[in-house]
Amino acid sequence: MTPRPTSGALSVDAAIDQLGLGAFQWRLLLICGLTWAADAMEVLLMGFALPGINASFGLGPGAPEAKWLLSATFAGMFLGAWFWGWAADRLGRRTVFLTTVSLGVVFGLLGAFAPGLAWLVAARFLTGFAIGGTLPVDYSMMAEFVPTAWRGRFLVYLESFWALGTVLVAALAWGLSSLLPPAEAWRWLLALAALPGLLGLLARLGVPDSPRSLLVRGRMEAAREALERVARLNGRPLPAQPLEVPATAARVSPAELFSGGIGRRTLLLAAVWFGLSLGYYGIFSWLPSFLKAQGMDLGAVYRTTLLLALAQVPGYVLAALLVERIGRRATLVGYLVASAAGAYLFLGAGTPGQVLATSALLSFALLGAWGALYAYTPELYPTPLRTTGMGFVSGMARLASVLSPSLGALLLTGQLPVALTLFAGCFLLAALCAWAIGVETRGRQLSDVLDPAS
């Protein structure tokens, strides 16, 4: 999947590198980051809303309906990641960029007005289906617009907005719990959590489509216009040479994800995404309930969750430095091994202070791993398959997220050693698969890492 040689032509890699880092990339980071924070709120809020939902619909502790509610968003994201990732490679990044955010706001608000449990589960599934598409598109857009020297850091910076969303939803849940009874507070929580997505939608209207995606779909003039917009905002001239046209046809089959060396990458990446997600959501989707079961009142649970969200920030900061110093693969593997160690330290925690410290270590390590994985994955796929590939492997993460509430419930049933051993094993297996990919993308243009033999 190498570009067709054209005399005097300018590759998109070269154009982006010459236009450098400037206002366009920082604006794109803030726009995508705002929506990513909104997605974090949507993904995590059911853990905070569950006590109020239980009170509203008369559900007892450990009711099976609670697992349905926790799994519904992830089930929707599982299908949404696959569908929207494929659609973004076919229809363009910007179309899906706007559609998924719009639908996420609509379905998120509908959940706040659900008259019954079945309606709420359906609304959460549809919300997940919509926001499942933002992941493959946002990270592909960011990777395709950022210069080579900064690409890894910016992809980690984007993932760090997850911590902002976590802080916001924890603070919002804490504030509402002190103002309203639980049976009312959860509806306000769902409604208010949907509003940041509306701001993200308005901000996205001014973002052009990816020039790489436009080129592989044969839209030469639109690709140049997108680069000219980058040039204007960054205050640098776009070279006058014509753009180099990729040799690969735009309409490649998703089956190419599983052929040759790309197929090996896909399977290994899918295992990494699955293992990391199963452990992360297995622990953190039930952590508020686990802390409450240990004797914490609801306000203390929310304050603790807020502190754990803040512990994510240094994990991201260090990951952003390491992906450009030692590489994406080594950073990812190191954080995954640290996550496995953190799970066992959490198992041995015997006092409230030790529980807080070890869960903070887990938060630090796991979110650093996510940052490195989000930086690494889009760089391993060619442009015509980038969002399809991101959609598939992130879909595997959503499949793990559907399973994780059932496994995470072991934390509440006296089987803590079984649960944490399972999750630590997931992290170690993910580390082995990440190392087995065998490709380092640090400092390399996107077109240079596509040959599986490289």
Short mmCIF file of all heavy atoms in Angstrom, two decimals, residues 130-174:
data_model
loop_
_atom_site.label_atom_id
_atom_site.label_comp_id
_atom_site.label_asym_id
_atom_site.label_seq_id
_atom_site.Cartn_x
_atom_site.Cartn_y
_atom_site.Cartn_z
N ALA A 130 -23.97 5.07 19.03
CA ALA A 130 -23.54 6.35 18.45
C ALA A 130 -22.12 6.69 18.85
O ALA A 130 -21.26 6.96 18.00
CB ALA A 130 -24.51 7.46 18.88
N ILE A 131 -21.82 6.66 20.15
CA ILE A 131 -20.49 7.11 20.59
C ILE A 131 -19.41 6.08 20.27
O ILE A 131 -18.22 6.41 20.28
CB ILE A 131 -20.48 7.46 22.09
CG1 ILE A 131 -20.71 6.22 22.97
CG2 ILE A 131 -21.49 8.54 22.40
CD1 ILE A 131 -20.62 6.50 24.46
N GLY A 132 -19.81 4.85 19.94
CA GLY A 132 -18.82 3.86 19.52
C GLY A 132 -18.08 4.28 18.26
O GLY A 132 -16.96 3.82 18.01
N GLY A 133 -18.68 5.17 17.46
CA GLY A 133 -18.03 5.62 16.23
C GLY A 133 -17.05 6.76 16.43
O GLY A 133 -16.23 7.03 15.55
N THR A 134 -17.14 7.45 17.57
CA THR A 134 -16.24 8.59 17.75
C THR A 134 -14.80 8.14 17.95
O THR A 134 -13.86 8.84 17.57
CB THR A 134 -16.68 9.47 18.93
OG1 THR A 134 -16.67 8.68 20.13
CG2 THR A 134 -18.08 10.02 18.71
N LEU A 135 -14.62 6.96 18.56
CA LEU A 135 -13.25 6.49 18.84
C LEU A 135 -12.44 6.28 17.56
O LEU A 135 -11.38 6.88 17.39
CB LEU A 135 -13.31 5.23 19.69
CG LEU A 135 -11.98 4.67 20.18
CD1 LEU A 135 -12.22 3.86 21.46
CD2 LEU A 135 -11.31 3.77 19.16
N PRO A 136 -12.89 5.41 16.63
CA PRO A 136 -12.06 5.19 15.44
C PRO A 136 -11.88 6.44 14.60
O PRO A 136 -10.82 6.64 13.99
CB PRO A 136 -12.80 4.09 14.68
CG PRO A 136 -14.18 4.08 15.21
CD PRO A 136 -14.08 4.54 16.63
N VAL A 137 -12.89 7.29 14.56
CA VAL A 137 -12.81 8.48 13.70
C VAL A 137 -11.91 9.54 14.32
O VAL A 137 -11.03 10.10 13.65
CB VAL A 137 -14.21 9.05 13.42
CG1 VAL A 137 -14.11 10.33 12.60
CG2 VAL A 137 -15.05 8.03 12.68
N ASP A 138 -12.09 9.83 15.60
CA ASP A 138 -11.30 10.89 16.24
C ASP A 138 -9.81 10.59 16.19
O ASP A 138 -8.99 11.47 15.89
CB ASP A 138 -11.73 11.08 17.69
CG ASP A 138 -13.02 11.87 17.81
OD1 ASP A 138 -13.80 11.87 16.84
OD2 ASP A 138 -13.27 12.47 18.86
N TYR A 139 -9.46 9.35 16.49
CA TYR A 139 -8.03 9.02 16.53
C TYR A 139 -7.42 8.92 15.14
O TYR A 139 -6.25 9.26 14.95
CB TYR A 139 -7.81 7.74 17.34
CG TYR A 139 -7.88 8.03 18.81
CD1 TYR A 139 -9.11 8.04 19.46
CD2 TYR A 139 -6.75 8.39 19.52
CE1 TYR A 139 -9.19 8.37 20.80
CE2 TYR A 139 -6.82 8.72 20.85
CZ TYR A 139 -8.04 8.71 21.50
OH TYR A 139 -8.12 9.07 22.82
N SER A 140 -8.22 8.51 14.16
CA SER A 140 -7.71 8.51 12.79
C SER A 140 -7.52 9.94 12.30
O SER A 140 -6.51 10.26 11.66
CB SER A 140 -8.68 7.75 11.87
OG SER A 140 -8.74 6.39 12.23
N MET A 141 -8.48 10.81 12.59
CA MET A 141 -8.35 12.22 12.19
C MET A 141 -7.11 12.85 12.81
O MET A 141 -6.33 13.53 12.14
CB MET A 141 -9.60 12.99 12.62
CG MET A 141 -10.84 12.69 11.83
SD MET A 141 -10.96 13.62 10.29
CE MET A 141 -11.54 15.19 10.88
N MET A 142 -6.92 12.62 14.10
CA MET A 142 -5.78 13.21 14.78
C MET A 142 -4.47 12.69 14.21
O MET A 142 -3.53 13.46 13.95
CB MET A 142 -5.87 12.94 16.28
CG MET A 142 -4.83 13.65 17.12
SD MET A 142 -4.96 15.46 17.04
CE MET A 142 -6.55 15.72 17.81
N ALA A 143 -4.38 11.38 13.99
CA ALA A 143 -3.16 10.80 13.44
C ALA A 143 -2.85 11.35 12.06
O ALA A 143 -1.69 11.55 11.70
CB ALA A 143 -3.27 9.28 13.38
N GLU A 144 -3.89 11.63 11.28
CA GLU A 144 -3.70 12.04 9.88
C GLU A 144 -3.44 13.53 9.71
O GLU A 144 -3.08 13.97 8.63
CB GLU A 144 -4.93 11.60 9.07
CG GLU A 144 -5.02 10.09 8.95
CD GLU A 144 -6.31 9.58 8.35
OE1 GLU A 144 -7.22 10.39 8.11
OE2 GLU A 144 -6.41 8.36 8.12
N PHE A 145 -3.62 14.31 10.77
CA PHE A 145 -3.41 15.76 10.67
C PHE A 145 -2.18 16.25 11.42
O PHE A 145 -1.82 17.43 11.31
CB PHE A 145 -4.64 16.51 11.20
CG PHE A 145 -5.67 16.83 10.15
CD1 PHE A 145 -6.96 16.32 10.26
CD2 PHE A 145 -5.38 17.65 9.08
CE1 PHE A 145 -7.92 16.63 9.31
CE2 PHE A 145 -6.33 17.97 8.13
CZ PHE A 145 -7.62 17.45 8.24
N VAL A 146 -1.54 15.39 12.23
CA VAL A 146 -0.45 15.84 13.10
C VAL A 146 0.90 15.46 12.49
O VAL A 146 1.06 14.34 11.99
CB VAL A 146 -0.59 15.24 14.52
CG1 VAL A 146 0.59 15.63 15.40
CG2 VAL A 146 -1.89 15.72 15.15
N PRO A 147 1.90 16.36 12.52
CA PRO A 147 3.23 16.04 12.00
C PRO A 147 3.84 14.83 12.70
O PRO A 147 3.54 14.53 13.85
CB PRO A 147 4.05 17.31 12.28
CG PRO A 147 3.04 18.39 12.42
CD PRO A 147 1.82 17.76 12.99
N THR A 148 4.72 14.15 11.99
CA THR A 148 5.30 12.89 12.47
C THR A 148 5.93 13.03 13.85
O THR A 148 5.72 12.19 14.73
CB THR A 148 6.37 12.41 11.47
OG1 THR A 148 5.77 12.26 10.17
CG2 THR A 148 6.98 11.09 11.91
N ALA A 149 6.69 14.10 14.07
CA ALA A 149 7.42 14.25 15.33
C ALA A 149 6.52 14.44 16.54
O ALA A 149 6.94 14.19 17.67
CB ALA A 149 8.38 15.44 15.21
N TRP A 150 5.27 14.86 16.31
CA TRP A 150 4.35 15.13 17.41
C TRP A 150 3.19 14.16 17.49
O TRP A 150 2.39 14.23 18.42
CB TRP A 150 3.79 16.56 17.27
CG TRP A 150 4.75 17.63 17.63
CD1 TRP A 150 5.69 18.21 16.80
CD2 TRP A 150 4.92 18.25 18.89
NE1 TRP A 150 6.40 19.16 17.49
CE2 TRP A 150 5.94 19.20 18.78
CE3 TRP A 150 4.28 18.10 20.13
CZ2 TRP A 150 6.34 20.00 19.84
CZ3 TRP A 150 4.67 18.89 21.19
CH2 TRP A 150 5.71 19.83 21.04
N ARG A 151 3.08 13.26 16.53
CA ARG A 151 1.87 12.45 16.39
C ARG A 151 1.58 11.62 17.65
O ARG A 151 0.45 11.59 18.15
CB ARG A 151 1.98 11.55 15.17
CG ARG A 151 0.68 10.88 14.77
CD ARG A 151 0.85 10.13 13.46
NE ARG A 151 1.85 9.09 13.57
CZ ARG A 151 2.93 9.00 12.77
NH1 ARG A 151 3.13 9.88 11.82
NH2 ARG A 151 3.80 8.02 12.94
N GLY A 152 2.59 10.92 18.16
CA GLY A 152 2.38 10.06 19.33
C GLY A 152 1.91 10.84 20.53
O GLY A 152 0.96 10.45 21.23
N ARG A 153 2.56 11.98 20.79
CA ARG A 153 2.19 12.78 21.94
C ARG A 153 0.75 13.29 21.83
O ARG A 153 0.00 13.28 22.80
CB ARG A 153 3.15 13.97 22.10
CG ARG A 153 4.36 13.66 22.95
CD ARG A 153 5.38 14.77 22.93
NE ARG A 153 6.13 14.78 21.68
CZ ARG A 153 7.20 15.53 21.47
NH1 ARG A 153 7.62 16.35 22.42
NH2 ARG A 153 7.84 15.47 20.33
N PHE A 154 0.38 13.74 20.64
CA PHE A 154 -0.97 14.29 20.47
C PHE A 154 -2.04 13.22 20.64
O PHE A 154 -3.13 13.49 21.17
CB PHE A 154 -1.09 14.99 19.11
CG PHE A 154 -0.93 16.48 19.22
CD1 PHE A 154 0.28 17.03 19.61
CD2 PHE A 154 -1.98 17.34 18.95
CE1 PHE A 154 0.44 18.40 19.73
CE2 PHE A 154 -1.84 18.71 19.07
CZ PHE A 154 -0.62 19.24 19.46
N LEU A 155 -1.75 12.00 20.20
CA LEU A 155 -2.72 10.93 20.38
C LEU A 155 -2.88 10.58 21.86
O LEU A 155 -3.99 10.26 22.31
CB LEU A 155 -2.29 9.70 19.57
CG LEU A 155 -2.40 9.89 18.05
CD1 LEU A 155 -1.74 8.73 17.32
CD2 LEU A 155 -3.87 10.00 17.61
N VAL A 156 -1.81 10.66 22.63
CA VAL A 156 -1.93 10.46 24.08
C VAL A 156 -2.64 11.65 24.72
O VAL A 156 -3.48 11.48 25.61
CB VAL A 156 -0.55 10.25 24.73
CG1 VAL A 156 -0.69 10.11 26.25
CG2 VAL A 156 0.13 9.01 24.16
N TYR A 157 -2.33 12.88 24.26
CA TYR A 157 -3.02 14.06 24.77
C TYR A 157 -4.54 13.91 24.58
O TYR A 157 -5.32 14.27 25.48
CB TYR A 157 -2.56 15.33 24.06
CG TYR A 157 -1.14 15.75 24.32
CD1 TYR A 157 -0.49 16.61 23.44
CD2 TYR A 157 -0.44 15.31 25.44
CE1 TYR A 157 0.82 17.02 23.66
CE2 TYR A 157 0.87 15.71 25.67
CZ TYR A 157 1.50 16.56 24.78
OH TYR A 157 2.79 16.95 25.00
N LEU A 158 -4.94 13.41 23.41
CA LEU A 158 -6.36 13.24 23.15
C LEU A 158 -6.97 12.24 24.13
O LEU A 158 -8.05 12.48 24.69
CB LEU A 158 -6.58 12.78 21.70
CG LEU A 158 -8.01 12.47 21.29
CD1 LEU A 158 -8.95 13.64 21.58
CD2 LEU A 158 -8.07 12.09 19.81
N GLU A 159 -6.30 11.13 24.35
CA GLU A 159 -6.81 10.14 25.29
C GLU A 159 -6.90 10.70 26.70
O GLU A 159 -7.77 10.30 27.50
CB GLU A 159 -5.91 8.91 25.25
CG GLU A 159 -6.04 7.94 26.41
CD GLU A 159 -7.40 7.29 26.56
OE1 GLU A 159 -8.27 7.50 25.68
OE2 GLU A 159 -7.62 6.60 27.56
N SER A 160 -6.04 11.68 27.03
CA SER A 160 -6.04 12.23 28.39
C SER A 160 -7.32 12.99 28.71
O SER A 160 -7.64 13.22 29.89
CB SER A 160 -4.83 13.15 28.60
OG SER A 160 -4.95 14.34 27.83
N PHE A 161 -8.09 13.37 27.70
CA PHE A 161 -9.38 14.02 27.96
C PHE A 161 -10.36 13.05 28.61
O PHE A 161 -11.38 13.48 29.14
CB PHE A 161 -9.96 14.59 26.66
CG PHE A 161 -9.38 15.93 26.28
CD1 PHE A 161 -8.19 16.00 25.57
CD2 PHE A 161 -10.02 17.11 26.62
CE1 PHE A 161 -7.64 17.23 25.22
CE2 PHE A 161 -9.48 18.34 26.28
CZ PHE A 161 -8.29 18.40 25.58
N TRP A 162 -10.06 11.75 28.54
CA TRP A 162 -10.88 10.78 29.26
C TRP A 162 -10.87 11.09 30.75
O TRP A 162 -11.88 10.96 31.43
CB TRP A 162 -10.35 9.37 28.99
CG TRP A 162 -11.20 8.28 29.55
CD1 TRP A 162 -11.13 7.72 30.80
CD2 TRP A 162 -12.26 7.60 28.87
NE1 TRP A 162 -12.07 6.74 30.94
CE2 TRP A 162 -12.79 6.64 29.78
CE3 TRP A 162 -12.81 7.70 27.60
CZ2 TRP A 162 -13.83 5.79 29.43
CZ3 TRP A 162 -13.86 6.85 27.25
CH2 TRP A 162 -14.36 5.92 28.16
N ALA A 163 -9.69 11.49 31.25
CA ALA A 163 -9.59 11.84 32.67
C ALA A 163 -10.48 13.04 32.99
O ALA A 163 -11.12 13.08 34.06
CB ALA A 163 -8.14 12.13 33.04
N LEU A 164 -10.53 14.02 32.08
CA LEU A 164 -11.40 15.18 32.29
C LEU A 164 -12.85 14.74 32.38
O LEU A 164 -13.60 15.19 33.27
CB LEU A 164 -11.22 16.18 31.15
CG LEU A 164 -12.16 17.39 31.15
CD1 LEU A 164 -11.96 18.22 32.42
CD2 LEU A 164 -11.93 18.24 29.91
N GLY A 165 -13.27 13.85 31.47
CA GLY A 165 -14.65 13.36 31.52
C GLY A 165 -14.93 12.59 32.80
O GLY A 165 -16.02 12.70 33.38
N THR A 166 -13.95 11.82 33.26
CA THR A 166 -14.11 11.07 34.50
C THR A 166 -14.28 12.01 35.69
O THR A 166 -15.14 11.80 36.56
CB THR A 166 -12.90 10.15 34.73
OG1 THR A 166 -12.70 9.32 33.58
CG2 THR A 166 -13.10 9.27 35.95
N VAL A 167 -13.45 13.05 35.74
CA VAL A 167 -13.55 14.03 36.81
C VAL A 167 -14.91 14.73 36.77
O VAL A 167 -15.58 14.92 37.81
CB VAL A 167 -12.41 15.06 36.71
CG1 VAL A 167 -12.65 16.24 37.65
CG2 VAL A 167 -11.07 14.40 37.01
N LEU A 168 -15.34 15.11 35.57
CA LEU A 168 -16.61 15.83 35.45
C LEU A 168 -17.79 14.99 35.88
O LEU A 168 -18.68 15.46 36.60
CB LEU A 168 -16.80 16.30 34.00
CG LEU A 168 -15.89 17.44 33.53
CD1 LEU A 168 -16.11 17.71 32.05
CD2 LEU A 168 -16.15 18.70 34.34
N VAL A 169 -17.84 13.71 35.46
CA VAL A 169 -19.00 12.88 35.81
C VAL A 169 -18.98 12.56 37.30
O VAL A 169 -20.04 12.51 37.95
CB VAL A 169 -19.04 11.60 34.94
CG1 VAL A 169 -17.97 10.60 35.33
CG2 VAL A 169 -20.42 10.96 35.02
N ALA A 170 -17.79 12.37 37.88
CA ALA A 170 -17.72 12.11 39.33
C ALA A 170 -18.15 13.34 40.12
O ALA A 170 -18.91 13.24 41.10
CB ALA A 170 -16.30 11.69 39.71
N ALA A 171 -17.68 14.53 39.69
CA ALA A 171 -18.05 15.76 40.38
C ALA A 171 -19.54 16.05 40.23
O ALA A 171 -20.21 16.47 41.18
CB ALA A 171 -17.22 16.92 39.84
N LEU A 172 -20.07 15.80 39.02
CA LEU A 172 -21.49 16.03 38.77
C LEU A 172 -22.35 15.09 39.63
O LEU A 172 -23.34 15.51 40.24
CB LEU A 172 -21.78 15.82 37.29
CG LEU A 172 -23.18 16.17 36.79
CD1 LEU A 172 -23.50 17.63 37.04
CD2 LEU A 172 -23.29 15.86 35.29
N ALA A 173 -21.95 13.81 39.68
CA ALA A 173 -22.70 12.85 40.50
C ALA A 173 -22.64 13.22 41.97
O ALA A 173 -23.65 13.12 42.70
CB ALA A 173 -22.14 11.44 40.28
N TRP A 174 -21.49 13.64 42.41
CA TRP A 174 -21.31 14.05 43.82
C TRP A 174 -22.20 15.25 44.13
O TRP A 174 -22.92 15.27 45.15
CB TRP A 174 -19.85 14.36 44.05
CG TRP A 174 -19.49 14.77 45.44
CD1 TRP A 174 -20.24 14.61 46.59
CD2 TRP A 174 -18.28 15.42 45.86
NE1 TRP A 174 -19.58 15.11 47.68
CE2 TRP A 174 -18.36 15.61 47.27
CE3 TRP A 174 -17.13 15.83 45.20
CZ2 TRP A 174 -17.36 16.22 47.99
CZ3 TRP A 174 -16.12 16.44 45.92
CH2 TRP A 174 -16.23 16.62 47.31
#
